[in-house]
Amino acid sequence: MRKLPEPKQPEKLIDDKGLRIDGRRLDQLRPIKLEVGLLDKADGSAYIEQGKNKILVAVYGPREAHPKHIAMPERAVIRCRYHMAPFSVDERKSPAPSRREMELSKVIRESLESVVLTDLYPRTTIDLFIEVLQSDGGSRCAGIIAASLALADAGIPMRELVAACAVGKIQGKMALDLSDAEDKYGEADLPVAFVPNAGMITLLQMDGILTTNEFEHGLSMALEACKTIHVLQREALKKKYLSIKEVSEEREEPVVVA
Ligand code: ADP
């Protein structure tokens, strides 16, 4: 049986109590669940759920560059593919790469390149696959969060994990972490990727129009959110290594004294 179509444009994006369509305050993130190292075959992997977004990331590498002509003599080459599954949105999406997916693959790669110590692995490639299983706005930022965890899981040296979060304008007010409906029916969207300890912004895009004050206010909201997300990322990584430690301690043979 065919699923009923999604509701049309909501009457209001912010209600009289100042709450958004999913009940969040303007400065509130959607719930985030992170998991690291869930795929056996890839060198590194991570999974993120952020609200209704569900995104899986796998990393291969560093490994010998193939084809050879893409190799760089002084550093590793990072390749990134952001891909939305045909079933990730309401209407079946073509599995072929769209212009949007090519653009997102590029900006996500660029947002991560400056933190990876690529000069340690000359003539190699690092392949990053971002598979969006379900999409609900802010998928490039959620992809960056999971991608930097997957790179760390692959043991690739990095200066720091990259956190990311979008902020936008809905009904004339700045709001954190827009959902799909807010993105579609709102006035502006500003995705940001941030490396908190280095204080470095590695992605800054904008769709729509903001005043200087709105931009500054929105950017500071996004940077604060990135700091919160960075803590969650570190916890997710620690959780994986603590669970490995526990398993290896359980397996340890007792010492037999002759
Ligand atoms: P982001 O996911 O980073 O916010 P966009 O602003 O380009 O990127 O897209 C916003 C949302 O629009 C996506 O998260 C997704 O839910 C929806 N979307 C994008 N492409 C499609 C598509 N081809 N069909 C239906 N919905 C789409």
Side-chain angles (χ1 to χ4, degrees), residues 82 84 89 93 100 104 135-141 180 183-184 189:
Y82 164 100
M84 277 171 90
V89 285
K93 181 206 151 280
R100 174 182 169 273
L104 266 59
S135 181
D136 189 43
S139 66
R140 82 193 66 195
C141 291
D180 187 23
D183 185 320
K184 269 199 188 89
D189 181 28

